[in-house]
């Protein structure tokens, strides 16, 4: 098929210029649009007066038209920017003014599962009327609303499509963000208008599906609504992480593949109807599906592509996918310029573009005959080409969301692909039937849950496989490097014909054992088998796999013809098998060859640089290895453990349930072997505590929560605080509406390992995020004798992990009681909280403690030798 590339430069130019200019003022955007238009006009004028060659005129004409059209269309961005600024809301947000709103809920409300707004209800509202001080506006911009947990608990969330009234304090959104501003509600919102008829029907259908699967397994409760209608509200966090690592998140992000399945089903059911009537039915179903899953940017892109396909069906013209994709991109950017930076839209367009431009060539490459023998059958080559093309296209962009490359994503997508069709079709059938035939809906839901079980199983196996992720820099350099590597690998494959060697290996296997591999893989496929006796070909029809009688002379000739390629392939295969086998056995004689840790092996405590959060590794006198907190979500804690050469952790202590202390737990469980998890008290039944429980269950690791039975004992490690009396006190404060999560932090005391020339243990204390009041009560507890802690805790210690990242909320009495030699602070560079504060630094300096901060030193390790404490790392 000859592809139409005429719209490609226009779409790319408009997309790039829109993405760049979104944060600009309207005048600057208008100036850029004018510049592009003028350049286009000058290029076209040059053609009129020039006498250059026809080829030069063609190039300039294409560039001129692209610049002129992109400049004209970019004017819509200037119009949007001017309208936003004129509304006054961005300025009011910068000034953090108080505002009163009424608007329509345009995104499903979600509960914040982590972070400092943990438990809060988050929703997006399209403004219908806003009042700030003495002026009003009706500009229909979007505002992201956060309803604090204490206001949201016990009250029904606003319905999608409902008109609500609320008030609160504005704050600015991120540059180039679609939302005009953010608002923290000062009172619960009130519904002042019901959703429209369509929204009411959609809400009822989505609710019925979730109720239908309420008693299903956890994966089915999350994946059946996720695969059918994109509802991931019940998706378990560990499974969501596994799907991210496996590259399967598109299954619950409704986009092109779901529309394709729906279109295929409708076209199949209406194949006897006239073409025009079929197109009308498909269009109606597509509109209904968009309403059911809610019109996100990726959904709109897929629906618009479907509209182009429907138009082609009506006009009886072959589809030009690339031209259609470009037209959709241009149209959606003009309609809503903020699509240009929306990750869902970007990934959706890139994946579709990868399939349109790359799937065919990749399939041809994998099927390319070598010495007359294709490496892969055509069906297998096409099946493999689709995920490869999509992964190559979206890989660099995914790095900005996750700092690693999913190694098994292609294999996982191939394995999960057969289950997507029944999961989507039967999930949608259950959604439609739930309101009219509950029994039929239940049957369909059970069938869909069987398909989603396989998807979940594939995600878990591929995420848990050795080397499932390849760490990669997530900055601009990393993105460009991955893009360059992708281009290089693709170029080398085409240049040196990798499939030749692979096809030669396949030919060797077939000729030596007489086994036709293609018949085994595709059992019952129609095959044409050559008659080796007469040289004639005949069709054997639908046949079972067969062993072909190949003469020895024929096999020898085939081997001699491919001898160099076969020797090379056989040697590479043997070496790969040998390396994998040796590494799997992990023999002791390999230990000296292992790179080990650049931090050595004499340290006792390591501070992991995980940004604004805590993560400390300690090695005890009892030869144990423990992790105190895991830092926020991300790959940083995994990189730290790898750099420290940690492969096994006896226990992970989670001091309290805040995201900057527990967010990296899943990454830890994927990186090292963990025996147990010990968590602080769950005072208020937080969502974060439930997420920790799910992660522990998913990983098969025993979890002990303070106050819920006896805590396990570890040699040289003890939980000194809180006491049971303190927990009861905190519970009373929590019941009164106070957030006591920080003061519920575990205080862990450990006998730390001594250095090679100083075998005696030292004492380390890790204070979590205790606030000043909690620290004062701990100080009084210590002065009263405390408990029989490790190594006489309370009589002066060697090392302290400073509470709450060195905040100003601290107790000088506790600092004097501890009197440490070393103070460790986990804190992020340029954090917005002012951590560590001058008060905290001065207090610890006042007792003679050496202060080591992760924002200045990065990941560091400290230990004690005969000459005193030493630091390993880049610390000024």
């Amino acid at each position: 098929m000859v592809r139409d590339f005429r719209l490609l430069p226009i779409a790319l130019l408009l997309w790039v210029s829109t993405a760049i200019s979104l944060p600009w003022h309207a005048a600057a955007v208008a100036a850029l649009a004018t510049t592009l238009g003028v350049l286009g006009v000058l290029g076209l004028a040059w053609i009129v007066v020039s006498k250059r060659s026809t080829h030069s005129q063609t190039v300039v004409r294409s560039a001129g038209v692209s610049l002129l059209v992109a400049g004209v269309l970019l004017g819509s961005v200037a119009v949007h920017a001017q309208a936003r600024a004129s509304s006054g809301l961005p300025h009011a947000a910068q000034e953090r003014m108080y505002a009163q709103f009424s608007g329509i809920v345009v995104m499903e409300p979600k509960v914040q599962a982590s972070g400092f707004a943990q438990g809060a209800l988050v929703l997006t509202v399209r403004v219908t009327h806003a009042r700030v001080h003495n002026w009003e506006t009706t500009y229909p911009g979007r505002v992201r609303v956060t309803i604090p947990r204490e206001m949201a608990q016990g009250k029904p969330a606003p319905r999608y499509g409902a008109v609500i009234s609320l008030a609160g304090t504005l704050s600015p959104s991120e540059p180039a963000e679609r939302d005009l501003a953010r608002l923290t509600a000062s009172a619960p919102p009130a519904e002042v208008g019901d959703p429209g008829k369509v929204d009411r029907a959609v809400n009822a259908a989505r609710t019925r599906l979730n109720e239908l699967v309420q008693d299903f397994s956890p994966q089915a409760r999350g994946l059946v609504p996720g695969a059918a209608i994109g509802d991931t509200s019940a998706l378990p966090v560990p499974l969501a992480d596994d799907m991210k690592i496996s590259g399967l998140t598109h299954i619950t992000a409704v986009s092109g593949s779901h529309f394709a399945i729906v279109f295929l089903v409708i076209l199949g059911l209406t194949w006897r109807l006239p073409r025009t009537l079929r197109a009308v039915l498909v269009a109606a179903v597509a509109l209904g599906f968009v309403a059911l899953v809610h019109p996100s940017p990726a959904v709109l892109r897929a629906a618009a592509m479907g509209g182009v396909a429907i138009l082609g069906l009506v006009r009886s013209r072959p589809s030009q996918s690339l031209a259609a994709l470009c037209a959709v991109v241009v149209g959606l950017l003009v309609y809503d310029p903020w699509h240009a930076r929306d990750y869902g839209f970007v990934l959706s367009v890139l994946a579709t573009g990868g399939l349109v431009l790359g799937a065919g060539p990749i399939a041809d490459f994998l099927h390319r005959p070598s010495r007359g023998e294709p490496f892969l059958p055509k069906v297998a080559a096409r099946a493999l080409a689709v995920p490869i093309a999509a992964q190559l296209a979206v890989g660099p962009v995914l790095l900005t969301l996750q700092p690693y490359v999913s190694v098994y994503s292609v294999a996982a997508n191939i394995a999960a692909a057969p289950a997507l069709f029944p999961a989507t079709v039967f999930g949608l059938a259950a959604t439609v039937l739930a309101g009219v035939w509950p029994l039929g809906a239940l049957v369909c839901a059970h069938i869909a849950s069987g398909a989603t079980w396989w998807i979940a199983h594939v995600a878990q196996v591929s995420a848990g496989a050795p080397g499932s992720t390849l760490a990669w820099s997530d900055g601009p350099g990393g993105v460009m490097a991955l893009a360059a590597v992708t281009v290089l690998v693709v170029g080398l494959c085409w240049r040196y014909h990798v499939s030749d060697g692979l096809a030669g290996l396949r030919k060797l296997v077939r000729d030596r054992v007489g086994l036709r591999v293609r018949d085994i893989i595709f059992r019952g496929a129609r095959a044409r088998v050559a008659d080796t006796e007469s040289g004639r070909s005949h069709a054997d029809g639908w046949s079972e796999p067969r062993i072909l009688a190949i003469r020895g002379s024929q096999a020898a000739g085939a081997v001699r013809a491919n001898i160099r390629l076969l020797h090379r392939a056989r040697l590479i295969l043997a070496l790969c098998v040998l390396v994998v086998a040796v590494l799997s056995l992990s023999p002791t004689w390999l230990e000296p060859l292992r790179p080990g840790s650049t931090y050595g092996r004499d340290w006792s405590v390591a501070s992991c640089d995980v940004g604004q959060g805590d993560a400390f590794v300690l090695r005890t006198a009892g030869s144990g290895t423990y992790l105190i907190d895991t830092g926020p979500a991300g790959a940083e804690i995994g990189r730290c453990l790898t750099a420290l050469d940690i492969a096994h952790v006896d226990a992970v202590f989670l001091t309290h349930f805040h995201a900057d202390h527990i967010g990296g737990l899943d990454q830890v469980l994927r990186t090292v072997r963990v025996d147990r998890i010990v968590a602080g008290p769950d005072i208020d039944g937080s969502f974060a505590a439930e997420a920790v429980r799910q992660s522990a269950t998913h990983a098969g690791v025993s979890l002990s929560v303070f106050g819920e039975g006896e805590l396990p004992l570890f040699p040289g490690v003890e939980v000194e605080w809180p006491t049971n009396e303190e927990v009861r006190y905190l519970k009373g404060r929590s019941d009164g509406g106070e957030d006591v999560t920080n003061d519920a932090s575990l205080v862990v005391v450990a006998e730390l390992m001594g250095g090679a020339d100083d075998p005696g243990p030292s004492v380390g204390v890790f204070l979590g995020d205790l606030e000043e009041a909690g620290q004062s009560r701990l100080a009084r507890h210590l002065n009263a004798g405390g408990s029989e802690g490790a190594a006489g805790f309370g009589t002066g210690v060697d090392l302290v992990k400073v509470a709450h990242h060195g905040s100003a909320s601290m107790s000088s009495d506790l600092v004097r009681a501890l009197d440490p030699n070393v103070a460790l602070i986990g804190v992020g560079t340029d954090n917005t909280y002012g951590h560590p504060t001058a008060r905290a630094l001065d207090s610890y300096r006042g007792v003679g403690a050496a202060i080591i901060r992760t924002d200045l030193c990065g990941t560091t390790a400290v230990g004690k030798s005969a000459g005193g404490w030493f630091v390993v790392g880049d610390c000024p």
Side-chain angles (χ1 to χ4, degrees):
M1 178 186 294
V2 178
R3 294 186 176 89
D4 188 348
F5 287 90
R6 287 176 296 178
L7 282 178
L8 182 59
I10 297 176
L12 288 177
L13 188 59
L14 178 62
W15 194 352
V16 172
S17 57
T18 300
I20 292 174
S21 62
L22 277 178
W24 296 0
H25 293 292
V29 180
L32 176 61
T34 303
T35 302
L36 294 179
V38 170
L39 290 175
V41 171
L42 291 176
L44 296 176
W46 180 84
I47 293 176
V48 176
V49 299
S50 175
K51 298 181 180 180
R52 299 276 182 176
S53 65
T54 304
H55 177 70
S56 298
Q57 289 184 345
T58 302
V59 173
V60 174
R61 181 185 299 110
S62 177
V65 171
S66 300
L67 288 168
L68 179 59
V69 175
V72 172
L73 296 178
L74 190 62
S76 66
V77 181
V79 173
H80 282 285
Q82 180 60 37
R84 283 167 66 97
S86 300
S87 71
L89 290 177
H91 173 72
Q94 290 290 341
E95 299 296 326
R96 301 184 183 274
M97 295 180 178
Y98 181 83
Q100 295 174 306
F101 280 91
S102 61
I104 301 172
V105 180
V106 293
M107 289 189 70
E108 286 284 351
K110 293 184 178 180
V111 175
Q112 185 80 19
S114 61
F116 296 101
Q118 182 182 9
L121 190 67
V122 180
L123 59 149
T124 301
V125 174
R126 187 175 70 244
V127 177
T128 56
H129 181 269
R131 180 182 180 86
V132 182
H133 291 322
N134 297 324
W135 55 267
E136 301 178 1
T137 182
T138 57
Y139 176 71
R142 302 191 344 167
V143 174
R144 183 179 179 183
V145 178
T146 299
I147 304 171
R149 179 178 57 187
E150 57 271 15
M151 298 179 189
Q153 282 182 336
K155 300 179 178 63
R159 294 170 293 171
Y160 179 90
V163 181
I164 64 172
S165 174
L166 70 162
T169 303
L170 292 170
S171 59
S173 57
E174 295 294 327
E177 190 175 355
R178 177 183 274 107
D179 297 334
L180 276 172
R182 298 176 181 178
L183 181 137
T184 302
S186 58
E191 284 195 12
V192 296
D194 291 330
K197 292 183 179 179
V198 174
D199 287 332
R200 286 202 300 273
V202 167
N203 291 339
R206 294 172 68 96
T207 300
R208 284 194 294 265
L209 178 61
N210 280 288
E211 292 174 348
L212 193 66
V213 299
Q214 190 63 41
D215 296 328
F216 285 23
S217 64
Q219 66 82 14
R221 288 199 299 270
L223 278 182
V224 171
I229 59 176
D231 184 353
T232 59
S233 57
L235 188 65
V237 174
L239 180 55
D241 290 340
D242 288 344
M243 295 183 69
K244 184 183 296 184
I245 293 173
S246 307
L248 297 176
T249 52
H250 63 90
I251 289 176
T252 57
V254 176
S255 57
S257 57
H258 294 76
F259 275 89
I261 290 172
V262 172
F263 288 172
L264 284 174
V265 170
I266 300 303
L267 290 174
L269 294 175
T270 60
W271 66 278
R272 287 182 176 273
L273 298 179
R275 181 183 293 111
T276 302
L277 183 56
R278 295 173 73 193
V280 171
L281 289 174
V282 170
V285 171
L287 291 176
F289 189 49
V290 169
L292 184 62
V293 302
H294 299 327
S296 68
V299 170
L300 290 177
R301 194 276 314 161
M305 286 289 292
V308 174
I310 294 170
L311 184 62
L313 177 67
V314 172
R315 301 186 63 183
S316 302
R317 292 187 177 181
S319 175
Q320 286 284 339
S321 299
L322 181 61
L325 177 62
C326 293
V328 167
V329 169
V330 170
L332 289 178
L333 289 178
V334 172
Y335 166 70
D336 184 356
W338 286 271
H339 281 107
R341 290 199 181 193
D342 186 280
Y343 272 112
F345 179 80
V346 172
L347 292 173
S348 180
V349 171
L350 289 179
T352 304
L355 296 180
V356 169
L357 296 175
I362 291 174
D364 292 341
F365 172 69
L366 295 174
H367 181 64
R368 177 190 296 138
S370 174
R371 311 298 195 270
E373 183 76 13
F375 167 56
L376 285 179
K378 185 172 293 185
V379 174
R382 289 175 177 172
L384 189 60
V386 170
I388 290 177
Q391 187 64 32
L392 290 176
V394 303
V397 176
L398 284 176
L399 275 183
T400 62
L401 296 173
Q402 53 193 38
Y404 56 81
V405 176
S406 299
V407 176
Y408 305 124
S409 60
V410 172
N413 274 276
I414 294 174
L420 179 58
F421 186 90
T424 302
V425 171
F426 287 100
L428 284 173
T431 306
V432 174
L433 294 175
V436 294
W437 186 24
L439 181 59
L442 185 62
V443 172
C444 290
H446 275 292
I447 297 174
S449 71
T452 59
W453 171 87
W454 174 248
I455 294 172
H457 183 67
V458 170
Q460 292 163 356
V461 169
S462 56
S468 58
T469 60
L470 176 63
W472 202 282
S473 173
D474 55 349
V479 173
M480 295 178 65
L482 182 59
V485 169
T486 301
V487 173
L488 179 63
V489 171
V490 171
L492 288 176
C493 287
W494 255 263
R495 174 65 179 84
Y496 291 103
H497 305 289
V498 171
S499 63
D500 286 355
L502 298 174
L505 178 63
R506 178 183 180 277
K507 186 175 178 65
L508 172 65
V509 173
R510 194 204 70 177
D511 289 344
R512 282 197 171 181
V513 303
L515 186 64
R516 187 169 288 274
V517 178
R518 181 167 46 201
D519 287 348
I520 292 178
I521 298 176
F522 301 97
R523 180 179 290 270
R526 180 178 295 272
R528 292 191 63 87
V529 182
D531 186 344
T532 57
E533 295 293 333
S534 61
R536 293 177 290 110
S537 296
H538 59 275
D540 284 337
W542 295 91
S543 57
E544 292 294 318
R546 68 201 69 235
I547 301 296
L548 299 181
I550 303 295
R551 294 178 181 177
S553 59
Q554 293 172 329
V559 171
R560 283 194 299 271
N562 296 275
I563 192 68
R564 292 182 61 189
L565 291 173
L566 297 178
H567 275 316
R568 201 175 301 164
R570 182 170 57 186
L571 178 61
I572 294 173
L573 180 63
L575 287 175
C576 291
V577 172
L578 180 62
V579 169
V580 171
V582 170
L583 293 178
S584 299
L585 294 173
S586 298
T588 56
W589 52 267
L590 269 182
E591 288 298 326
L593 301 179
R594 297 186 186 278
S597 169
T598 57
Y599 294 85
R601 298 189 178 277
D602 291 334
W603 56 268
S604 54
V605 179
S607 307
C608 289
D609 182 9
V610 292
Q612 183 66 14
D614 273 2
F616 296 87
V617 183
L618 55 112
R619 301 162 70 192
T620 67
S623 301
T625 301
Y626 301 90
L627 178 64
I628 311 294
D629 290 326
T630 65
E636 288 79 7
I637 181 61
R639 292 170 181 162
C640 178
L641 294 172
T642 301
L644 295 170
D645 196 26
I646 302 297
H648 168 252
V649 172
D650 293 276
V652 174
F653 288 86
L654 303 175
T655 58
H656 62 293
F657 295 106
H658 272 167
D660 56 334
H661 291 254
I662 67 168
L665 177 60
D666 290 327
Q667 183 67 35
V668 171
L669 295 173
R670 287 193 294 265
T671 305
V672 300
R673 181 166 58 88
V674 176
D675 290 346
R676 296 189 73 97
I677 300 172
V678 178
D682 182 13
I683 298 292
D684 54 2
S686 66
F687 293 96
E690 181 59 30
V692 168
R693 298 178 199 274
Q694 291 183 5
S695 297
T697 301
H698 176 68
V701 178
S702 176
L703 170 66
S704 300
V705 179
F706 189 97
E708 300 178 12
E710 292 294 327
L711 294 183
L713 300 177
F714 302 98
V717 180
E718 183 173 315
V719 175
E720 175 71 21
W721 187 261
T723 61
N724 292 328
E725 181 182 356
E726 175 75 3
V727 171
R728 288 192 293 270
Y729 167 70
L730 294 175
K731 179 65 175 173
R733 288 172 54 189
S734 176
D735 292 343
E738 191 175 350
D739 184 2
V740 297
T741 306
N742 283 342
D743 271 343
S745 294
L746 296 180
V747 174
V748 180
V749 188
E751 294 181 359
L752 304 175
M753 182 186 74
D757 56 351
D758 182 44
S762 51
V763 179
V765 180
F766 300 82
L767 297 175
D769 271 5
L770 281 180
E771 302 285 0
E772 182 172 5
Q775 294 177 44
S776 297
R777 290 192 296 275
L778 173 60
R780 291 193 295 270
H781 170 76
L782 297 179
N783 292 331
S787 61
E788 296 182 0
F793 171 46
T795 60
V797 301
D798 298 276
L799 178 145
V800 166
K801 197 293 293 185
V802 176
H804 203 180
H805 319 290
S807 77
S809 179
M810 59 162 298
S811 168
S812 299
D813 293 338
L814 180 62
V815 175
R816 287 190 294 269
L818 296 177
D819 190 21
N821 298 315
V822 178
L824 306 179
I825 305 178
V827 63
T829 304
D830 298 328
N831 67 86
T832 59
Y833 308 100
H835 296 162
T837 61
R839 182 186 179 194
L841 296 175
D842 291 342
S843 294
Y844 279 96
R845 287 180 184 138
V847 296
I851 299 175
I852 300 174
R853 304 160 45 174
T854 56
D855 60 334
L856 300 181
C857 303
T859 296
T860 55
V862 299
K864 189 178 182 183
S865 65
W869 286 88
F870 62 86
V871 181
V872 182
D874 186 16
C875 197

